[in-house]
Structure formats: C-alpha cells, structure tokens
Amino acid sequence: MLDLARGNPWVSRAILFVFAAAALTAMGLGGTAVGNLFSPLLGAVGPEATPGLGRHLLVGLMLAGALVANLEIIRFLPFRLQVLLVWAELLLLFYGFVLSFDRDFGVIFAVGRSGVSNLYFLITTGAFTTLYVSLIAIAIACVLALIGALGKLSRNGAFYAVATFYISFFRGTPLLLQVVLIYTGFAQLGFVMEAVPAGITALALCYGAYMAEIFRAGIEGVPSGQREAAKALALPSDLIFRKIVFPQAMRLIVPPTGNQFIAMLKDSSLVSIVGVWELTKTAQVLGKRDFQVFEFLIAAAVIYWVMSVVFEVIQARIEGYYGKGNTR
C-alpha cells in the first residue's frame, strides 16, 4: 500500500482523507461548536437532542474533506507563503479553541485596582520578573556548566569527583525540591536568602548541571586533530582551548543551550512556591481576585509563548553566527 501511495498521489490523499474522517468521527464533533457550523447543511439539533452517529460521521467527512482540500491548495504556494498560511490557520484554530470555552477575556484588558490594565500589570510585574530571573540564572548556569564540563573532562580526581557529584545530585532531584531546600535550608544555617536570589540560585544550579553535559559533549565534539595541530605549533593548552576548541564547540553548544533557556522560562514558575511574583503567580493572584483564573492563565500562556518565540529567533541568529564556517 505504501508503494502504491508513493506512486500515485491521489491514493495518498484518499488514505489521508479516510484516516482523518475516521479520527474526526471518533471525536464526536457533531454536537460541538465545530459541528454546529455545519447546521445549515445538516439541520439544526435541539438543545436537548443528542446528535447521532450519522451526524458525527457527516461532520467528520466534511472536516476531512476541508483538510485535504486545504493541503492540496497550500501545496501549490511558495514555501514561505505555505509556512505563513499554515501558521495563520493554526493560530485561528487556537483562537477558536479558546473562544469555545465561552469565557469573558475582556477582564484581561480591564483596568484593575492598581489603576492600570490587568494585562499591563501582568507584563510589567509577572513577565518582567520571569525574564530577569531567567536571564540571571542562565548566565550563572553557563558558568557552572563550563566548570562542570571541564571537571568531567579533568584527570584531577578531586575536581572530577566534585563535578560528577554536583551534576548527579542536581539532575537527580526535582527542581521544586531544590528551590525549597535552598530557600529554607540556608536559613537553618543562619544565612537568610530572599525569595528571588534563592529562586535564581536553584534555577542556576539545576540547569547548570544539565548544561554541563551539553558543554562536555560540545567540547568533545571538536575533532581531536584541531588540538593536535595546535600542539604541534607549541601553543599553550589554555590558549588552544580559548581560541580553537571552545569557539568551535559553541556551534554544538548553542542549540541545546537555547532550548534549556526556553525551558527555564517556564520552569521559573516553580519559584512562586517561595513567594516570587513571576508570571504564573501574578496570573493566579489576579485571577483569584476577579474570580476568573482561567482567563488570566490563558493570558499568561500566550505571554510565555511570545517570549519563547522571541528567544527562538535570537537563538537562530546566534546559531547562524557560530555556524558560519560550516555553511556552504
């Protein structure tokens, strides 16, 4: 069947149509808001009536047909236009999904008790805190990761032992537990940390442990011939690492490190457990105040998404910079 589908594009479209229709029918969309869009064609269903299998099947067939037709039209467009159109369609689907909950999202833009709009307060208080906590934490984590990676590559037993213990402990315990331990544990020793420094410390230590393996793999990914050629020129070991090995390793380090930072943006919500008003905490507080938690959590999710997209673009630029020598 696969060989037949490859040889005849109409067969592959028919297979896609059948599978899509079966999946959409199984979802039982006949009585949902999506199914009601086809009411003029299928006949309206009363508020107390339960749509039958026939209605679910008809809605599934129509949606599957629309999906196949949409993909067929998109196929003839230029690549960039294909990407933009599919993104626009997916955004519209997400927008429709959110509207299907029938909630009042106008409260997000309403003026709160602080005299500014709730959205403005959500961004300037919650999102700003999330950003600076994450940026400081990732900077410290990069330093810890480099030290940890060098420790794992070291032939010094003590340095290797400390590095492996650090990496093993902070990769092997939950981040939430680390936040609580650092915030309360240091206080038991007489060193009281504020909530924000404690949260930054926990994030930096946790992500530094994960990123140490990324840095180690990146350093080891540089061909050994590069080091040997530099040693043949009698260059010092530290100069070889700084000028030859590490710049080439950055090409391998940047992509996963960027992913770790985007993950940290979301994991920074865990520092709310010690009272930090980051984005999720701020959304929860505003939502509980107005008894509309769902609306503010959706707004927070969109803000997280926008920040992630911005940093994805920045990451792509950095990757392009360090990958210049490998592009043709």
Side-chain angles (χ1 to χ4, degrees):
M1 182 179 290
L2 291 177
D3 292 336
L4 181 63
R6 292 192 189 99
N8 189 342
W10 289 105
V11 173
S12 62
R13 293 173 193 129
I15 293 173
L16 174 62
F17 174 79
V18 171
F19 276 99
L24 292 167
T25 301
M27 293 171 65
L29 300 175
T32 65
V34 176
N36 291 336
L37 294 175
F38 299 97
S39 293
L41 299 175
L42 305 176
V45 176
E48 297 181 357
T50 302
L53 178 60
R55 184 179 176 87
H56 295 321
L57 177 60
L58 288 174
V59 171
L61 290 172
M62 290 183 178
L63 289 175
L67 172 64
V68 173
N70 181 59
L71 293 177
E72 187 65 19
I73 293 171
I74 290 174
R75 189 170 65 88
F76 294 101
L77 300 176
F79 176 78
R80 289 182 179 274
L81 192 55
Q82 288 181 14
V83 174
L84 290 174
L85 184 58
V86 172
W87 263 80
E89 290 176 347
L90 293 174
L91 285 172
L92 284 174
L93 285 174
F94 176 74
Y95 181 68
F97 172 73
V98 172
L99 290 183
S100 68
F101 290 99
D102 194 23
R103 299 296 186 101
D104 179 20
F105 290 96
V107 67
I108 298 170
F109 305 96
V111 177
R113 299 173 186 175
S114 58
V116 297
S117 71
N118 291 323
L119 179 62
Y120 179 83
F121 186 79
L122 197 62
I123 293 173
T124 56
T125 300
F128 178 75
T129 302
T130 293
L131 272 178
Y132 83 74
V133 165
S134 299
L135 287 171
I136 296 174
I138 199 69
I140 299 173
C142 286
V143 176
L144 293 174
L146 179 58
I147 295 172
L150 294 176
K152 288 205 69 172
L153 297 172
S154 174
R155 295 184 178 179
N156 183 301
F159 191 17
Y160 178 85
V162 171
T164 52
F165 178 85
Y166 159 66
I167 293 171
S168 176
F169 179 81
F170 282 96
R171 290 177 68 190
T173 55
L175 176 56
L176 181 63
L177 178 61
Q178 294 168 17
V179 174
V180 175
L181 282 177
I182 290 173
Y183 183 66
T184 60
F186 280 100
Q188 298 296 321
L189 300 176
F191 182 68
V192 179
M193 295 184 69
E194 296 292 334
V196 171
I200 291 174
T201 302
L203 287 170
L205 288 170
C206 180
Y207 276 85
Y210 282 100
M211 290 164 53
E213 292 296 335
I214 295 174
F215 277 58
R216 179 194 58 78
I219 292 170
E220 290 185 329
V222 178
S224 58
Q226 300 285 330
R227 299 180 182 85
E228 294 170 1
K231 289 179 180 178
L233 296 173
L235 294 177
S237 297
D238 60 337
L239 185 63
I240 293 173
F241 180 78
R242 287 188 292 106
K243 296 295 185 179
I244 298 174
V245 175
F246 194 66
Q248 294 184 73
M250 285 294 290
R251 181 177 62 87
L252 304 173
I253 291 172
V254 167
T257 298
N259 293 339
Q260 290 293 315
F261 176 69
I262 292 173
M264 183 187 286
L265 274 176
K266 298 182 284 291
D267 281 348
S268 64
S269 62
L270 294 176
V271 303
S272 64
I273 194 70
V274 293
V276 179
W277 276 49
E278 44 67 60
L279 183 54
T280 301
K281 176 73 171 181
T282 306
Q284 290 176 334
V285 171
L286 291 177
K288 290 177 181 178
R289 182 198 66 187
D290 296 328
F291 301 101
Q292 292 175 301
V293 177
F294 180 83
E295 288 83 346
F296 282 98
L297 288 180
I298 288 292
V302 172
I303 294 172
Y304 275 120
W305 187 15
V306 171
M307 290 192 296
S308 298
V309 169
V310 170
F311 283 106
E312 284 172 9
V313 174
I314 296 173
Q315 175 187 337
R317 295 295 182 90
I318 298 174
E319 287 181 28
Y321 174 78
Y322 283 104
K324 287 186 297 186
N326 292 275
T327 56
R328 295 181 179 179

